[in-house]
Amino acid sequence: MGNTDGQARFVQLALCRILDANLDRAREGLRTIEEWCRFGLDNASLTDECKHLRQELAHWHTPALRAARDTPGDAGTALTHPDEAQRSSVQAVLQANLCRVEEALRVLEEYGKVYDPEMGGAFKQMRYRVYVLESKLTANQRQQRLERSRLYLVTAPTETLFATVEAALQGGLKLVQYRDKTADDEVRLSNAQKLCQLCRRYDALFIVNDRVDLAIAVDADGVHLGQQDLPIALARQLLGAQRLIGRSTHCPDDLHRAIQEGADYIGVGPVYETPTKAGRPAAGFDYVRYAAAHATVPWFAIGGIDTNNLHEVRAAKVDRVAIVRAIMHAEQPMVTTQYFLAQLGNGRSEE
Ligand SMILES: Cc1ncc(COP(=O)(O)OP(=O)(O)O)c(N)n1
Ligand SMILES: Cc1nc(C(=O)O)sc1CCOP(=O)(O)O
Ligand SMILES: [Mg+2]
């Protein structure tokens, strides 16, 4: 009998320690996420949601559970994973902390059911709220990063593909599209995988041209679709709400349709005729100025833009440009990228 009592007390104590440790874990993780929502994203509603979740956790974190804490006797405190010592980017910090919160809430849900019948349901509900937070955070992150991008490198299949893209990333580029109209799928998949990893290392968005299947396969940030490519609605179904979809536009009708169909950004061009898109006539500056006045999503002027004509393009109220040859064929892609970025700056072009 005494033994059974002892066992029951041991189980109760272990339960309290599990709940205490996971309440701490979830609260710390949420606080880490909250700081980014507040100071990094300046997003009041996401900040508020983190705070409310933390307050609800605090409500369950009773003195009885805290009293069970035995940090010196906890065999787990010395265990760390090498990944914890180093995070490659803010994204990695957020991802790790979202996982941490979700895992902790799952543990709280399972063991909480034994401790207090109301705990299971409460933590389950919180876990779903964290999934929603994660979706909003991911979608918002990509949109915000897109908004901040003024220079968009669209690749061409050169022998120095990876070195050139890496040089541009070292120059500060934050948005890359993999475009290769001729390679076999096997090569495209492998190139897209490598470029995607490269972009992750430099905290840059990675978009795949034309191919929704490749974008999904390599977990890209989005896809770019031309007027002859898949409809946006179908791509959205396949890619989900969080990935970016870009659409090429060549005239005002294209622009309004793309925005109405839910494109996250549009290409506007060709500004000048270009051998990269041989046979397509220039859309010209009238259309560029129309886009400047009417586009309600980020838009990138594209087609024949280089360091010599950038000032003329800027004068047509262009804040964002997409470039193929001027960077892919540059002698010094890093320096050229830095030049474009410096010229594009952060603000609006001269009135
Ligand atoms: C940013 C950007 N704008 C336009 C295009 C051209 O897309 P599309 O008309 O589908 O032509 P291809 O690139 O597929 O030949 C683009 N890729 N990126
Ligand atoms: C791929 C592409 N799309 C265009 C459009 O107008 O939709 S122009 C273009 C080619 C841009 O290449 P470059 O910078 O070498 O001129
Ligand atoms: Mg296309």
Side-chain angles (χ1 to χ4, degrees):
M1 179 74 174
N3 213 358
T4 318
D5 271 359
Q7 263 176 358
R9 266 200 304 279
F10 175 80
V11 169
Q12 186 67 4
L13 184 62
L15 211 49
C16 289
R17 288 177 67 194
I18 292 171
L19 295 175
D20 172 58
N22 282 280
L23 280 159
D24 256 351
R25 199 167 289 151
R27 291 173 71 179
E28 286 166 9
L30 276 166
R31 176 58 127 186
T32 308
I33 297 161
E34 185 179 322
E35 298 299 42
W36 182 251
C37 296
R38 182 175 167 196
F39 297 109
L41 300 179
D42 224 2
N43 187 316
S45 81
L46 291 179
T47 308
D48 243 32
E49 175 62 352
C50 291
K51 194 187 239 164
H52 282 129
L53 282 162
R54 279 196 303 108
Q55 282 164 349
E56 280 179 47
L57 287 166
H59 158 78
W60 289 105
H61 211 168
T62 57
L65 293 182
R66 290 169 190 278
R69 189 172 308 178
D70 173 19
T71 310
D74 182 349
T77 51
L79 305 177
T80 56
H81 191 275
D83 285 356
E84 286 177 23
Q86 202 182 330
R87 301 267 188 237
S88 59
S89 63
V90 170
Q91 251 73 272
V93 172
L94 292 174
Q95 202 49 58
N97 280 280
L98 282 160
C99 275
R100 191 174 182 204
V101 174
E102 286 158 9
E103 277 173 14
L105 285 172
R106 170 59 103 171
V107 174
L108 288 165
E109 182 185 329
E110 294 301 328
Y111 289 101
K113 289 176 198 163
V114 187
Y115 184 78
D116 174 337
E118 287 187 14
M119 265 192 179
F123 290 126
K124 182 177 186 165
Q125 219 211 25
M126 273 188 245
R127 191 158 51 83
Y128 285 118
R129 279 168 61 192
V130 173
Y131 291 144
V132 174
L133 177 72
E134 181 171 11
S135 304
K136 287 187 186 162
L137 204 55
T138 319
N140 196 285
Q141 286 267 334
R142 285 193 175 122
Q143 287 291 348
Q144 297 231 355
R145 291 163 69 200
L146 178 71
E147 292 267 349
R148 285 198 296 267
S149 303
R150 308 226 154 228
L151 179 63
Y152 189 175
L153 174 62
V154 179
T155 67
T158 68
E159 290 198 342
T160 57
L161 175 67
F162 304 112
T164 304
V165 173
E166 180 150 25
L169 291 167
Q170 282 166 346
L173 177 75
K174 293 290 175 196
L175 179 57
V176 175
Q177 179 190 130
Y178 172 53
R179 177 177 184 270
D180 186 335
K181 307 293 286 184
T182 54
D184 291 343
D185 274 4
E186 193 189 13
V187 175
R188 282 193 236 208
L189 178 62
S190 157
N191 286 350
Q193 268 162 344
K194 286 185 194 150
L195 287 174
C196 190
Q197 282 164 11
L198 196 55
C199 288
R200 295 268 179 276
R201 286 223 307 277
Y202 287 86
D203 244 334
L205 290 168
F206 178 68
I207 307 288
V208 174
N209 188 42
D210 292 342
R211 297 281 298 267
V212 173
D213 55 346
L214 283 186
I216 294 170
V218 304
D219 195 20
D221 294 299
V223 74
H224 184 91
L225 301 171
Q227 291 292 319
Q228 267 73 52
D229 299 324
L230 282 186
I232 293 177
L234 179 57
R236 184 62 75 202
Q237 265 182 34
L238 298 168
L239 290 165
Q242 293 168 22
R243 287 199 172 94
L244 300 170
I245 299 180
R247 182 69 127 192
S248 312
T249 69
H250 312 295
C251 62
D253 275 359
D254 288 352
L255 177 147
H256 292 296
R257 207 175 328 106
I259 294 171
Q260 194 258 325
E261 288 173 0
D264 294 296
Y265 75 86
I266 55 173
V268 167
V271 179
Y272 306 100
E273 275 189 22
T274 164
T276 313
K277 200 77 191 151
R280 174 165 282 287
F285 278 101
D286 279 351
Y287 176 46
V288 172
R289 278 188 283 269
Y290 185 90
H294 295 92
T296 50
V297 295
W299 60 281
F300 294 83
I302 184 168
I305 301 170
D306 59 28
T307 53
N308 294 319
N309 59 26
L310 184 63
H311 63 282
E312 187 181 34
V313 176
R314 291 283 282 149
K317 299 202 166 91
V318 168
D319 287 339
R320 297 183 179 84
V321 298
I323 306 287
V324 182
R325 284 165 308 141
I327 293 179
M328 292 309 294
H329 297 173
E331 276 184 19
Q332 297 189 65
M334 185 174 92
V335 177
T336 307
T337 299
Q338 286 167 335
Y339 176 82
F340 273 117
L341 287 172
Q343 294 300 310
L344 292 162
N346 285 319
R348 287 212 54 83
S349 51
E350 298 281 310
E351 292 294 306

